[in-house]
Amino acid sequence: MGRITLISFRNTFRRQGRLALTVFTLAAGGAVFMGAVNLYNAWQTTVSGSYDSRHYDVEIWLRDPVEQQHIADVIGSVPGVARVESWGQTRASLVYEDGTDSNLYYLTAPLVDTTIMDFEVIEGRWLEPGDTNAVVINHVLTHEESSIQVGDEIVLNLDGEANTWQVVGLVRELGSLPTAYVAYDYYASLTGHAGLARNIKVATDGDPAEVTKQIEAVLTTSDLSVYQLRELAVTKQSFLDHIVILMTFLTAMALLVAAVGGLGLMSTMSLNVLERMREIGVMRAIGASMDKILQIVLVEGIFIGVLSWGLALLLSVPITAQIGKFSGEIFLQTALDTVYSPFGMGLWLGIVVLVSALASLYPALRASEAPVNEILAYE
């Protein structure tokens, strides 16, 4: 390490209380900024991961159960449709211990060996061939009915008939309504809907948007009564757009705090220079050039900025976790995946070094350009 660098490091720690206040202010802005970048990446990872597990492009809900073969014939005739899979679906309510019923929730009966969707199992297991009264619930349902745990027995009121089910698994399913999943064969035996379906998944091998338009056109002329149709890409994008406003707010707040920290750093450096005016004068008198004095002050300011960056890294860890949990619970009813962005860390390092250099520039120029005789006479 050079002599100038050592002098700058020594000067940095002369006023430790002033240093701590400046470092913490800059670190607060950096922690929030990195937390915002981490939040954006966590949101992208969580939403994209959930939707990438769905190997279909269009989802359709019918008002009434229809024969699966008829559904396949109607929708399968559309150019660009690669695969059609239809599931049983109805509404059911939970029967509480006091005999009252809950709100109506979706009871969906997929094919047990379905490959059109890979459910993200959080706890327990997915449905297996031969399952009878086994039920898997999604995380949205547990958000509504927090008392339900994997392993519990629940009573469902299905078309006026109460049946006991064993909760065998919990899955995370973003963008879904509260839903319980049961094996199609057992569901068909209970409801008498063998070979019938209401929920349709459509995989395409062309442009999903164009194929969706063609499916809509075919459905308008068919005898299928459609309750709702949605293109998965549109739904995914709407979830991705949810985070833009929150991230913009957090970034603006972080930059505002960083600006306040920059002003604080400028004040700190100005006071540090004023307190060392005679020392600087002596250095100038024994041959130190203006460039060397300028370098000493700039290195000191940048070092303070780097210290704040290190503290910001530490603070960003709990901030990222809390922001991810808070925003995930509000918008998705589940915590986000934890993601730390190297890009955000590097970007903030560049920002804080630039802010520190600019904040130190005026005090440094003042110290390097003042006449030696005035500096030595300064009291």
Side-chain angles (χ1 to χ4, degrees), residues 208-289:
E210 183 61 32
V211 176
T212 300
K213 292 179 182 179
Q214 296 186 47
I215 291 175
E216 290 176 331
V218 169
L219 289 175
T220 56
T221 60
S222 72
D223 58 351
L224 300 180
S225 178
V226 177
Y227 173 70
Q228 185 179 4
L229 181 149
R230 67 178 183 180
E231 183 186 345
L232 210 63
V234 174
T235 307
K236 176 183 176 181
Q237 190 60 48
S238 69
F239 271 100
L240 293 176
D241 292 342
H242 268 68
I243 202 61
V244 174
I245 295 176
L246 180 57
M247 184 183 176
T248 302
F249 169 76
L250 291 174
T251 303
M253 185 172 67
L255 295 178
L256 180 61
V257 175
V260 173
L263 293 174
L265 178 58
M266 182 180 293
S267 299
T268 296
M269 296 306 299
S270 297
L271 290 172
N272 289 348
V273 168
L274 286 174
E275 291 174 352
R276 301 199 305 271
M277 287 298 283
R278 284 197 172 184
E279 176 185 323
I280 293 171
V282 171
M283 294 173 63
R284 292 278 304 280
I286 62 176
S289 65

Side-chain angles (χ1 to χ4, degrees), residues 78-102:
V78 177
V81 170
R83 183 181 175 189
V84 178
E85 189 171 297
S86 50
W87 298 353
Q89 190 173 74
T90 188
R91 293 290 193 96
S93 60
L94 288 166
V95 180
Y96 298 128
E97 292 182 357
D98 61 2
T100 60
D101 285 2
S102 69

Side-chain angles (χ1 to χ4, degrees), residues 360-376:
S360 305
L361 186 60
Y362 173 72
L365 289 174
R366 183 179 177 184
S368 63
E369 293 178 353
V372 175
N373 60 333
E374 292 183 9
I375 295 177
L376 292 176

Side-chain angles (χ1 to χ4, degrees), residues 62 64-71 85-90 109-111 184-185 187-189 191-200:
L62 302 179
D64 301 301
V66 177
E67 290 185 0
Q68 292 174 314
Q69 186 58 53
H70 182 55
I71 293 172
E85 189 171 297
S86 50
W87 298 353
Q89 190 173 74
T90 188
L111 305 178
Y184 180 84
D185 291 341
Y187 163 84
S189 67
T191 60
H193 290 173
L196 303 179
R198 288 182 60 191
N199 183 246
I200 308 166

Side-chain angles (χ1 to χ4, degrees), residues 10 29 36 43 107 127 135 141 171 196 221-222 265 311:
R10 181 202 64 181
W43 189 278
L107 183 68
L127 299 170
V135 59
L141 181 55
V171 296
L196 303 179
T221 60
S222 72
L265 178 58
L311 180 58

